[in-house]
Amino acid sequence: MKTVVSDPVLVIGAGVAGLTAATQLADSGIRTVLVDRLPIVGGNAMDLYKAFPTDDCFYCFEGSRTRPGIRKCFYRSAILDQPNIDLKVNAEVTEISGSPGKFQAKLSVGPQYIDSKKCIMCGLCIERSKSFSLPSPQCQPQAVIYDPELSDEGAKKAEEECPTKAINLGAQPSEETVQISDIVIATGYHEMKPVSIDEYGYGKIPNVVTQLELAQILDPNGKSGGALVRPSDGGQVKRVMMVQCVGSRDENYYPFCSKICCVYALKHANIIMLERDSVQVAVVYMDIRTYDRHERYYRVARDAGVRFVRGRVSRLEACEDGTLDIIAYDSLLDKYLKFNVDLFVLSSALEPPKGSAELIKSLGLHSASGFVGPADSISENAVVAGDHVYVCGAATGPAEIPESVTQARAVVSMILQSRK
Amino acid sequence: MTETEEKADPPAVMIEPIDISKLDPDFREGIRSMPNGEELSACFACSTCTAACPIANTWKYKPHQLIRMILLGMREEVLSSEEIWLCLTCFECQERCPQNVRVTDIFFDCKNLAAEEGMIPDSIVGLAKELVDKGQLYVVTADWEREDMDLEPEVPGLSTEEFKTILKGTRTGQIVGGDE
């Protein structure tokens, strides 16, 4: 079917894959509507602190450095200056109708309290009210965000005093329908909150966290300034235990291997062992799957003195001083080991994000364990999910950043070919 | 599980666990600092060493487990284990190790550490005594063997006196409890 060249492409999700697809399409002269549910772009990558395999800020991976911008961060200039991208944050796709090549997408856009083009991030509103915050100095769009749930007297004051009049507390949500030619699904993943796995006490014991939560503790932009502290009382952490395969490779939760959690768990273990003062890390695992070249992280972790225990946790008990007594079974030694730790970190399964099932159903796509599967499983076109519907990044299943970028570029290439 | 009143209940794990905080983290570093221990921490417990070992099937602690125990800091258990002394030193494990861990050599280091602490099995002490006393381990007693080969009954020029003197001044002498 011949595509109407002037219709834009809809990219759902502004994470690594979505941003890559949108900027490259835009650079090729194709108008793009880029939609994200959150107020800032970047998706999960914003919360990773250092991203593997480069241990760099995710904005800065190889191959994207030639673009003009601040330092290597090409997405900043891309999103601010690229007229072909129509970025819609706080927005969701509520309905898709029409036929392949001529879809209509109904978008529900949340209230735009802050005009990101006017905001100069002076911080005045943040001083006036805690309903304003800056998620990260590098956030895109470059603007503060407003949470109406935390609204107070100060918020009104901030609106009046804002030097650029960027705040509009009376903003209302809006709806619009856009005519689009192709759909790129880049909805990413969600880290499972393992509240239902009783034996680990997640959600009940404050010092039990997930890997993404740990990454935020380790982030120098975080609350503790990068110091490894206990969520319960802000006390210094001296001993950490991590458990792999929490909800992954488990028929009761997700039967698949979440693929990247071994790598980022060890990335965190290495940061803790090598960049924080005298903290001991133990990792309880079934198999360490640092696939491909990421074996390096495993090797560095062993050299750094991370204790690896092949086995499972048998018992966990919260002590009055905030520490946890943990008994783990070491299947290599056939012995039970007793640990006392300050922080217990769960490498939780990566699950399809909210709304995936509805999206798959409404577009008649194939589900691959809840993620978006290829239209034709025999072909090698992993990124073709349907007629004029593409998928890239972790929307296809757990994926690392370089893989997401590669898939996004593949999608761009296919769309360009279809418009030739 | 986390409530304090349940603490009095019988433990869920009936076997007393090994308390990690009571182990000796310096043991790992000690072994690692020796020339043979450089690659010790590279071990990822694939158990190739145990697969290669011709005699470990009768051992209580297999070679890969001993390496694990060193890494965990189980100093007492490793140095008092009889396995390090049962090792044939055939070097099969070391030869096959995919991570270049010098398994056999590390067991030698363990034996030396154990010897320094006086933890040597009686059988080994017996051998050392034999060496110090006789200057040789296998004294030719069955003279018919030499006779069958048309050799003179005594080994010509064999003198064990120097060996005895040297061995007395070495660790072998110390093990037996001679000088020093």
Side-chain angles (χ1 to χ4, degrees):
Chain A
M1 172 160 191
K2 197 77 186 156
T3 308
V4 180
V5 178
S6 59
D7 281 345
V9 171
L10 173 68
V11 179
I12 311 172
V16 172
L19 281 172
T20 304
T23 51
Q24 301 216 336
L25 283 168
D27 280 359
S28 308
I30 296 176
R31 286 187 300 127
T32 309
V33 180
L34 177 60
V35 179
D36 202 285
R37 192 185 277 155
L38 297 176
I40 58 165
V41 304
N44 281 309
M46 289 302 286
D47 299 330
L48 297 179
Y49 175 28
K50 288 180 177 180
F52 77 89
T54 56
D55 290 338
D56 208 343
C57 155
F58 102 98
Y59 285 103
C60 313
F61 45 82
E62 270 310 318
S64 302
R65 298 182 175 179
T66 49
R67 218 184 149 99
I70 305 160
R71 285 200 305 144
K72 306 177 280 180
C73 299
F74 88 120
Y75 286 127
R76 294 188 191 188
S77 56
I79 285 159
L80 294 180
D81 303 338
Q82 177 47 272
N84 286 335
I85 296 182
D86 180 8
L87 173 67
K88 295 189 186 306
V89 289
N90 283 317
E92 287 193 54
V93 178
T94 48
E95 199 188 314
I96 294 171
S97 55
S99 55
K102 224 166 170 42
F103 295 104
Q104 285 88 41
K106 199 182 270 179
L107 309 179
S108 153
V109 185
Q112 304 293 305
Y113 298 111
I114 314 287
D115 185 338
S116 61
K117 291 205 171 69
K118 286 184 185 167
C119 177
I120 53 169
M121 304 203 295
C122 63
L124 184 131
C125 56
I126 297 171
E127 279 170 30
R128 295 286 179 275
S129 165
K130 59 179 188 310
S131 57
F132 295 97
S133 61
L134 186 63
S136 150
Q138 290 95 12
C139 67
Q140 283 299 335
Q142 285 268 283
V144 297
I145 58 172
Y146 170 71
D147 182 354
E149 304 233 317
L150 299 171
S151 188
D152 52 16
E153 281 303 297
K156 211 80 213 117
K157 236 187 217 162
E159 184 181 23
E160 286 159 19
E161 291 176 27
C162 174
T164 58
K165 301 278 169 245
I167 305 170
N168 172 21
L169 296 184
Q172 293 297 317
S174 61
E175 286 214 341
E176 60 181 289
T177 303
V178 286
Q179 175 85 27
I180 47 168
S181 65
D182 303 82
I183 299 167
V184 179
I185 302 168
T187 45
Y189 66 84
H190 178 260
E191 187 192 43
M192 183 179 99
K193 299 288 175 197
V195 279
S196 55
I197 309 181
D198 289 340
E199 63 261 41
Y200 297 131
Y202 180 85
K204 297 183 193 78
I205 306 169
N207 292 334
V208 179
V209 299
T210 64
Q211 287 289 354
L212 281 187
E213 288 163 0
L214 171 65
Q216 279 162 296
I217 297 175
L218 291 171
D219 191 334
N221 286 327
K223 265 185 258 167
S224 65
L228 185 57
V229 293
R230 304 200 302 201
S232 64
D233 57 2
Q236 200 66 39
V237 169
K238 285 287 157 208
R239 289 172 304 267
V240 180
M241 177 176 277
M242 297 178 180
V243 184
Q244 300 307 107
C245 299
V246 174
S248 301
R249 306 172 71 198
D250 183 334
E251 294 293 336
N252 300 306
Y253 300 95
Y254 295 103
F256 53 84
C257 165
S258 292
K259 187 164 130 182
I260 55 175
C261 19
C262 276
V263 190
Y264 63 60
L266 298 190
K267 175 199 80 177
H268 293 158
N270 295 346
I271 290 170
I272 293 170
M273 291 291 287
L274 302 171
E275 296 172 25
R276 302 291 183 274
D277 286 333
S278 52
V279 187
Q280 177 64 52
V281 182
V283 177
V284 178
Y285 69 98
M286 305 200 280
D287 299 290
I288 293 286
R289 296 184 167 184
T290 44
Y291 63 102
D292 197 344
R293 62 208 178 281
H294 306 310
E295 184 73 10
R296 173 174 73 87
Y297 284 90
Y298 191 16
R299 176 76 198 214
V300 170
R302 301 199 307 275
D303 281 344
V306 173
R307 280 192 177 121
F308 286 94
V309 178
R310 217 279 304 267
R312 294 317 271 167
V313 167
S314 46
R315 200 169 147 80
L316 178 146
E317 201 170 332
C319 306
E320 272 172 23
D321 64 355
T323 62
L324 298 156
D325 275 339
I326 293 164
I327 296 174
Y329 172 67
D330 186 327
S331 62
L332 285 165
L333 287 181
D334 189 20
K335 295 264 187 262
Y336 292 86
L337 306 177
K338 188 180 158 204
F339 293 82
N340 179 265
V341 301
D342 298 295
L343 195 61
F344 189 62
V345 188
L346 306 174
S347 295
S348 195
L350 304 184
E351 60 187 5
K354 193 180 81 185
S356 294
E358 292 81 351
L359 187 65
I360 289 170
K361 197 165 170 238
S362 73
L363 290 173
L365 309 178
H366 292 113
S367 166
S369 300
F371 291 96
V372 180
D376 175 5
S377 59
I378 297 157
S379 83
E380 284 174 8
N381 284 332
V383 298
V384 179
D387 195 3
H388 287 274
V389 182
Y390 303 91
V391 60
C392 55
T396 63
E400 52 169 53
I401 288 174
E403 202 176 358
S404 303
V405 171
T406 307
Q407 289 181 351
R409 287 174 176 165
V411 168
V412 171
S413 158
M414 300 206 76
I415 293 174
L416 290 176
Q417 285 171 44
S418 76
R419 294 191 169 203
K420 208 162 43 176
Chain B
M1 183 167 66
T2 60
E3 287 151 22
T4 36
E5 57 264 30
E6 283 185 26
K7 277 192 173 173
D9 286 354
V13 180
M14 298 304 281
I15 302 161
E16 199 53 42
I18 296 165
D19 192 338
I20 289 290
S21 66
K22 303 246 160 61
L23 301 179
D24 181 2
D26 295 339
F27 183 48
R28 166 204 168 102
E29 287 313 311
I31 298 278
R32 210 177 158 195
S33 67
M34 296 182 193
N36 293 321
E38 219 177 318
E39 298 295 324
L40 167 70
S41 62
C43 171
F44 53 28
C46 63
S47 71
T48 296
C49 48
T50 299
C53 183
I55 60 165
N57 58 348
T58 64
W59 289 8
K60 183 177 163 207
Y61 299 125
K62 314 288 186 221
H64 72 279
Q65 293 178 317
L66 286 165
I67 298 289
R68 287 329 283 167
M69 289 156 77
I70 295 169
L71 287 170
L72 278 175
M74 294 169 70
R75 184 190 176 90
E76 268 311 297
E77 291 80 353
V78 173
L79 295 191
S80 64
S81 72
E82 62 170 357
E83 285 79 8
I84 55 174
W85 299 97
L86 292 174
C87 171
L88 295 173
T89 70
C90 67
F91 284 90
E92 275 286 353
C93 50
Q94 192 157 320
E95 209 44 48
R96 290 197 204 174
C97 176
Q99 291 290 314
N100 298 326
V101 179
R102 305 182 61 146
V103 186
T104 316
D105 285 331
I106 287 169
F107 291 163
F108 272 115
D109 288 339
C110 289
K111 277 180 271 199
N112 283 328
L113 283 177
E116 274 175 24
E117 297 183 13
M119 287 192 279
I120 309 175
D122 291 341
S123 58
I124 305 290
V125 177
L127 287 176
K129 199 165 158 38
E130 190 87 351
L131 264 176
V132 171
D133 288 350
K134 296 186 179 145
Q136 61 184 125
L137 267 188
Y138 304 106
V139 180
V140 179
T141 48
D143 43 6
W144 57 265
E145 280 183 19
R146 294 183 66 82
E147 222 176 274
D148 283 358
M149 289 188 234
D150 284 333
L151 294 167
E152 58 211 286
E154 294 297 321
V155 182
L158 175 71
S159 163
T160 54
E161 286 312 307
E162 292 95 326
F163 290 116
K164 285 189 210 169
T165 316
I166 293 167
L167 287 171
K168 267 201 188 96
T170 64
R171 279 190 183 173
T172 315
Q174 289 169 30
I175 290 168
V176 179
D179 306 343
E180 285 186 321

